[in-house]
Structures are given as C-alpha cells and as structure tokens.
Amino acid sequence: MAILMALAALAACQAGAADVVPVPGEAKNLNDTPACRSEERAWRRAATAADRERLRNWRVSWLAALDKARAGGGASEIAADADLFDPDRALDNPLPPTGAYRCRIIKLGAAHQVNRDFVELPPAQCTVGQGSGETWFAIEDGVQRPMGRLFPGPPGRGVFLGTLQLGDEQLPLAYGVDDQRNMIAYVDRIGEKRWRLLIPTPLFDAKAELIEITPAN
C-alpha cells in the first residue's frame, strides 16, 4: 500500500491538473512535496553535464535567438503570440496530463547560413503517457521527433530530458548515447490547456526551439 501511495503521489506531481484556469501573477509551485522534490533531483542526476549547462544558461540563449528571429522575418508571428514567446510565462501545474496532443515546433535563430531565422514546422501528433511511475512525451510524426521523459523541475516549471529521432528511424537512441541527439528543455504551462517545451541551444539548425503543446481535439 505504501508503494502504491508513493506512485500515486509521484504521478500527481508529474501530471499536474488539466482543468486549472490560468491565474495572473507569479507562478505557484504546486510540485513542492517530498516526492516531487525527489523527482526534481532525478533529472539532475540523469542529465549530462553539457545539458545541465545548456539549461543553466537558457535565458541568454533564448533571448539572443528571439532577437535573431525577430530581425530575420518572424517579428509579426512573435508579436501576435506574446504568451508563447514570453520567456517568463510559466503558470502553475506545468506538466501536461496524459493524453493525445497536437505539437508545433518553431525554430528561432539560424545556427548556420543555410538555415532561416524563423521556421515553423507542420503540426504533428504527440502524446503524453505514464507507466512505471514515469511520465513520457513523444512526437509521433514528422522528420524531427523529440521523445523522452517529463520531470517536475524548479518552482513553477517542468523539465524534459530526451533524444531526437530523425527521418525514417524506427527507434530512438537512449539518452546519453549521442550528445548530438540529447535534448533538454523547460516545460511551461502558458495558458488554459496550453504548454510549451523551451529548448535552449539545440544541436542542429537553430539557436533555440520551442514546441507548442495543445490538446488534439
């Protein structure tokens, strides 16, 4: 019974609440329980030193990429969706509950001359699921498919730790096998039933990326 109660508490701190209406003001930390604090430490133990460094410096890289995207053709799109692109937008219950979602990847700031400074990929199907006390996230179609685990993070935020699956690959690499495929991101709730992954300094074609997550229906 104690094990079942512990798993239930862990699932609750990971999943958050699906029907909470956004509130103004500073985000509340509803993950502040012993189980959630233990799980928050878990991602730090699992993450590589390079990924911890990327997340530590997320704000500098995010703002630089956003400036480059505005100057490179994305100014109107960024201005039209302030909640999505606001780095400080982080409401309570940051992790999406299990279910089917629609995901939209947006790339900010070209990493190389052949890339563009603002790129929006076609929407894709994605899923949040749970099993064995873990919460996972996966994009299921498209040429770039992040997938991995969701963890409670620092106050008011979650953390995504995973890898990038490409092209016609059938199985993702395990996290830590290939530094070029490793991914780390903050997870924020930015509206009612609307979340994002904020990915600092990805290792492919952009200076920063975000993934908008909304219910499939």
Side-chain angles (χ1 to χ4, degrees), residues 105-193:
I105 297 176
I106 299 173
K107 299 173 178 288
L108 304 171
H112 310 285
Q113 289 186 348
V114 296
N115 303 129
R116 290 179 291 160
D117 285 315
F118 186 89
V119 176
E120 179 180 339
L121 298 184
Q125 297 179 4
C126 51
T127 301
V128 175
Q130 284 187 343
S132 302
E134 297 180 352
T135 300
W136 52 267
F137 167 81
I139 291 184
E140 298 167 4
D141 54 11
V143 296
Q144 297 185 11
R145 303 181 298 281
M147 52 190 62
R149 288 184 63 191
L150 300 178
F151 299 83
R157 310 193 89 167
V159 171
F160 167 77
L161 200 62
T163 58
L164 184 64
Q165 189 175 359
L166 298 173
D168 59 358
E169 294 175 347
Q170 297 300 307
L171 294 173
L173 294 173
Y175 177 80
V177 170
D178 185 345
D179 289 343
Q180 295 299 309
R181 299 289 190 93
N182 290 344
M183 299 184 72
I184 194 166
Y186 274 130
V187 187
D188 301 317
R189 190 171 70 87
I190 58 171
E192 186 174 4
K193 298 184 181 181

Side-chain angles (χ1 to χ4, degrees), residues 39-56 149 151 159-162 175-177 179 182-185:
E39 187 71 359
E40 197 274 340
R41 289 191 293 269
W43 78 261
R44 296 181 185 277
R45 291 192 297 267
T48 65
D51 278 350
R52 292 196 301 271
E53 181 71 13
R54 284 199 285 171
L55 203 60
R56 188 177 301 118
R149 288 184 63 191
F151 299 83
V159 171
F160 167 77
L161 200 62
Y175 177 80
V177 170
D179 289 343
N182 290 344
M183 299 184 72
I184 194 166

Side-chain angles (χ1 to χ4, degrees), residues 38 53 57 71 76 81 116 148 177 213:
S38 175
E53 181 71 13
N57 296 318
S76 60
D81 199 342
R116 290 179 291 160
V177 170
I213 305 171

